[in-house]
Amino acid sequence: MMRDISTVNEQLPSHCWPVDDIAGLEQKLCDKHDGSPYTLMWQAGEALARLVSKHYADARHCLILCGTGNNGGDGFVLAYLLHQAGIKVTVVEARLHHERPVEAARAKAAWDTVAPQAPLSAGDPWPCDIDLIVDALFGIGLHQAPREESQGLIDLANHHAAPVLAVDIPSGLEARTGQPLGSAIQAAVTLTFITLKPGLLTGQGRAYSGKLWVADLGLSRLLPQLSPPIECLTARHLPQWLPQRQASAHKGDMGKVVIIGGAEGTAGAIRLSGEAALRSGAGLVRVLTHSTNIVPLLAARPELMVAELTPQSLNEALDWADIVAIGPGLGQSDWAKNALEDVKLSKKTMVWDADALNLLAIEPDKRQNRVLTPHPGEAARLLGISVAEVEADRLAAANLLVQRFGGVAVLKGSGTIVTDGSATSIAYVGNPGMASGGMGDVLTGVVTALLGQGLEPFEAACAAVVAHGHAADLVANDHGMRGMLALDVIEKLRISVNPLQDLNE
């Protein structure tokens, strides 16, 4: 049974499995429904046909790129079904370098019985009236760059005027990591089967997969007996973390938090964190910063309690606060190092960001009472590897951060990953408009505020990442992505942290 293909991205299922687990899920589906892998292949083809019928109803000539594996088998089933529905179909068949799997061979044989013409080969010219391309070249088993002739087909599809529908995953995209392996299909739409795969959600996966749908092929009936190892987070999850407040709530119930940072000349970073904490519902927010920042911060946001960062004020704040955040605009001077050394002595729950992370990379330690919020560059410094290595396998990097430093790691970026070493989530929110200064400072404030309101570190990190990304999506919906400012996102946080049960992105 297929998940309703009319659903949009915010209605994606929560379940996501590592690629290595997909074969086991397929077998469970076959056992549960007394079927076979070929039955699943046929169901996948039917799901594709329904998507084409619903969302590409004007398509008159569909070109289907069929590989030699089971992904190509899905393409042959689709070709058969579209032909039967009266749509003109041209199949381009990848060169056979090895024997087809049994199911894919059966699907090709079914197509051959109705095919109006022989399949085209990689070097053949395409018809001029193609108005939809279906990519069924490679599935989730691809772990190296496609061969030259397949790369050529991918490039032709990417440069064609017709939209591309990717089958299960865009060909050339690594399903575990979301990294392209040489050329990769730039899909307008991807219909993935059974469950979400990590590579569709993080890394460059979102940039290549376009609008994402799932046909679960009956998995929903098995979910009560299964425990998905990765959760896909969208704005629909916000109400579970952020219920309506009790009528008797007061500011003391909503968390007393202190945010430490803002060296001379960096008032902006600490202001953004402090204001984001207020907008995310923290009851009382104290900011300790350089003396030159006090007047501008109070002028911009009088609701903040701003004081100079000194050993005395820091010790008082650490005694007073429920939650401690350190790092935005902190710098790496002796002033910053001394503050971090004092903070390390506290047993309070903490958020470490920005220069606190850079100082942690110099003097590593491991503790469980903190949330780390690195961007890929900071993660690379913490792990002693390159940014490219972090981005090559973001899930592995996030888990390694927890192994080395403890607590909860929030690896920011496209498809932000949150993990505590046992539970892992990937956030499917946010947009490229967030590629501007100050966004990380805002997230620090949100995490801090939600910790102050009683959420446990892992769920506070998850809720903060989703609220932050959702607020940015609201800004993009209103004004577009280019020119988005961190303060614009803070303004929308009031909507994101006050979700209704039917919240949509």
Side-chain angles (χ1 to χ4, degrees):
M1 179 176 292
M2 179 184 157
R3 180 175 293 274
D4 181 3
I5 61 172
S6 66
T7 56
V8 292
N9 289 355
E10 67 269 21
Q11 296 173 310
L12 289 174
S14 298
H15 54 82
C16 178
W17 264 270
V19 173
D20 291 345
D21 293 351
I22 302 301
L25 291 177
E26 290 178 350
Q27 188 58 54
K28 288 180 185 295
L29 285 170
C30 291
D31 294 342
K32 176 73 173 179
H33 305 301
D34 194 25
S36 68
Y38 186 65
T39 302
L40 284 181
M41 182 176 288
W42 200 264
Q43 290 174 342
E46 289 174 337
L48 288 162
R50 291 199 296 274
L51 189 150
V52 171
S53 175
K54 187 174 183 66
H55 295 282
Y56 296 101
D58 294 335
R60 293 292 177 265
H61 191 172
C62 179
L63 182 136
I64 304 179
L65 305 174
C66 288
T68 59
N70 283 336
N71 196 254
D74 297 336
F76 284 121
V77 173
L78 175 63
Y80 179 94
L81 294 171
L82 293 182
H83 176 78
Q84 297 298 88
I87 297 174
K88 186 178 179 181
V89 177
T90 295
V91 168
V92 179
E93 189 175 349
R95 186 183 303 175
L96 189 63
H97 294 280
H98 51 76
E99 188 175 354
R100 279 193 179 86
V102 173
E103 294 79 18
R106 286 184 65 185
K108 182 182 185 304
W111 164 244
D112 287 342
T113 63
V114 299
Q117 66 211 26
L120 300 182
S121 298
D124 294 334
W126 292 2
C128 60
D129 59 342
I130 299 297
D131 49 16
L132 176 64
I133 298 171
V134 176
D135 160 39
L137 284 172
F138 298 103
I140 62 175
L142 186 69
H143 301 301
Q144 59 186 9
R147 296 174 185 269
E148 183 178 353
E149 65 268 19
S150 295
Q151 296 251 15
L153 290 173
I154 290 170
D155 290 339
L156 282 172
N158 286 341
H159 288 92
H160 200 282
V164 181
L165 163 61
V167 176
D168 207 19
I169 191 166
S171 291
L173 190 69
E174 221 283 347
R176 295 182 304 107
T177 65
Q179 296 305 299
L181 301 167
S183 295
I185 284 288
Q186 189 76 54
V189 172
T190 297
L191 178 62
T192 197
F193 303 123
I194 301 178
T195 186
L196 293 166
K197 290 82 181 177
L200 293 168
L201 305 177
T202 194
Q204 296 187 51
R206 289 182 64 180
Y208 282 91
S209 58
K211 189 178 286 286
L212 183 59
W213 282 289
V214 177
D216 71 19
L217 307 186
L219 183 70
S220 56
R221 286 179 259 171
L222 291 178
L223 284 175
Q225 292 82 44
L226 300 173
S227 297
I230 302 171
E231 187 172 22
C232 172
L233 302 177
T234 68
R236 289 184 300 112
H237 292 83
L238 288 171
Q240 75 185 40
W241 299 307
L242 301 169
Q244 295 292 325
R245 286 183 172 179
Q246 296 295 321
S248 59
H250 60 82
K251 62 186 178 183
D253 297 330
M254 298 300 108
K256 297 179 294 183
V257 307
V258 60
I259 304 178
I260 303 154
E264 186 175 10
T266 58
I270 201 70
R271 181 221 165 150
L272 290 170
S273 291
E275 187 165 341
L278 288 170
R279 288 297 190 198
S280 301
L284 293 166
V285 181
R286 182 176 292 186
V287 170
L288 298 183
T289 188
H290 193 275
S291 59
T292 58
N293 296 333
I294 295 175
V295 171
L297 285 176
L298 287 173
R301 184 51 63 200
E303 297 88 347
L304 293 171
M305 300 182 292
V306 187
E308 182 182 1
L309 173 59
T310 66
Q312 181 179 350
S313 67
L314 179 54
N315 288 332
E316 291 174 354
L318 292 175
D319 288 339
W320 168 84
D322 302 314
I323 306 296
V324 180
I326 185 166
L330 184 67
Q332 299 182 44
S333 66
D334 288 342
W335 177 82
K337 293 175 183 177
N338 292 336
L340 189 61
E341 287 301 315
D342 288 342
V343 168
K344 285 180 181 179
L345 300 176
S346 176
K347 303 299 183 184
K348 302 283 180 70
T349 301
M350 306 177 186
V351 182
W352 286 30
D353 184 34
D355 283 313
L357 300 174
N358 293 327
L359 292 172
L360 178 62
I362 297 170
E363 294 187 16
D365 65 21
K366 186 173 183 178
R367 59 177 63 212
Q368 300 304 323
N369 65 327
R370 68 185 169 199
V371 178
L372 306 178
T373 59
H375 58 56
E378 292 158 346
R381 287 189 284 276
L382 286 166
L383 297 175
I385 59 178
S386 68
V387 174
E389 288 173 298
V390 170
E391 291 291 74
D393 195 336
R394 288 170 51 80
L395 279 167
N399 279 292
L400 189 55
L401 286 168
V402 174
Q403 291 173 28
R404 292 193 183 176
F405 301 100
V408 175
V410 178
L411 180 54
K412 296 181 288 194
S414 179
T416 293
I417 296 168
V418 182
T419 184
D420 62 3
S422 56
T424 300
S425 297
I426 303 176
Y428 200 78
V429 292
N431 61 77
M434 300 174 77
S436 63
M439 292 295 176
D441 302 315
V442 173
L443 180 61
T444 296
V446 184
V447 177
T448 305
L450 297 186
L451 285 167
Q453 292 168 77
L455 275 69
E456 293 299 318
F458 178 76
E459 64 179 5
C462 289
V465 167
V466 175
H468 183 236
H470 176 255
D473 288 339
L474 293 176
V475 175
N477 289 340
D478 287 348
H479 305 293
M481 298 181 194
R482 189 173 285 110
M484 185 185 300
L485 301 181
L487 280 174
D488 300 332
V489 175
I490 289 176
E491 182 63 27
K492 293 295 187 182
L493 278 172
R494 285 185 290 181
I495 299 173
S496 299
V497 299
N498 290 288
L500 302 175
Q501 294 301 318
D502 60 348
L503 180 67
N504 287 314
E505 291 181 17

